Amino acid sequence: MNLFSKQIEKIQSKPKTIFLLDGLVALLTAVLLLFVLSPFDIYFGMPRAILTVLSLTAFLFAFYSFFCFTISKPYIQKLLKPIILANSIYCLTTLGLVFFFLDRLTTLGISYFIGEILIIFGLIYIEVKILKTKQQL
């Protein structure tokens, strides 16, 4: 069993922690977009207006996830579905924006957004595994 599998099992044993993890990832994304990419947009190539919208969206996702972390266990399954859907839409939108602004994006910008998408898809993978585990119980 590899390290990634062990971490997933650890999260599955305490499923509420997925909301904490999701909230932290969303908060990190929002902060990076607003305070790193936006002021230095020339080095990344994504327009500031787009970065602001993505950042506000990530802040909203963080708020939702942190709120879900405070709610009791019986609702985990119902609360996971919206964040899985929201994260998926966010990733697909970001990927679409990367293709739309491909001629403007720098190598650094493309690398950042592809990395962000991969990390969020990894999170979605874990969330789906937790959801399936919960449905089997």
Side-chain angles (χ1 to χ4, degrees):
M1 184 178 295
N2 64 27
L3 181 63
F4 187 67
S5 297
K6 287 181 184 179
Q7 292 302 318
I8 291 174
E9 280 185 13
K10 192 174 183 180
I11 293 170
Q12 283 177 317
S13 69
K14 295 180 183 177
K16 277 180 60 169
T17 58
I18 192 63
F19 293 112
L20 182 60
L21 180 61
D22 191 283
L24 290 171
V25 169
L27 187 60
L28 177 62
T29 296
V31 168
L32 286 173
L33 289 169
L34 196 60
F35 298 113
V36 177
L37 273 71
S38 192
F40 301 104
D41 62 326
I42 194 164
Y43 299 108
F44 295 93
M46 187 67 77
R48 279 189 185 190
I50 299 295
L51 294 172
T52 301
V53 171
L54 289 174
S55 178
L56 293 174
T57 303
F59 273 122
L60 222 123
F61 290 2
F63 176 79
Y64 175 82
S65 293
F66 289 138
F67 175 75
C68 291
F69 179 70
T70 65
I71 294 179
S72 66
K73 272 187 178 179
Y75 300 103
I76 288 174
Q77 189 174 342
K78 289 180 182 176
L79 297 172
L80 256 179
K81 289 178 183 178
I83 201 65
I84 290 169
L85 179 63
N87 282 340
S88 299
I89 292 170
Y90 180 89
C91 283
L92 293 174
T93 301
T94 302
L95 188 60
L97 289 168
V98 166
F99 282 114
F100 187 79
F101 291 107
L102 195 56
D103 59 330
R104 287 184 62 168
L105 291 176
T106 64
T107 303
L108 186 60
I110 292 168
S111 299
Y112 171 82
F113 287 108
I114 296 302
E116 178 183 85
I117 289 167
L118 291 174
I119 289 168
I120 297 171
F121 270 135
L123 193 57
I124 293 167
Y125 173 78
I126 296 169
E127 290 167 345
V128 168
K129 281 192 73 115
I130 290 170
L131 185 64
K132 286 181 179 177
T133 302
K134 285 295 181 193
Q135 287 176 342
Q136 292 171 358
L137 298 177

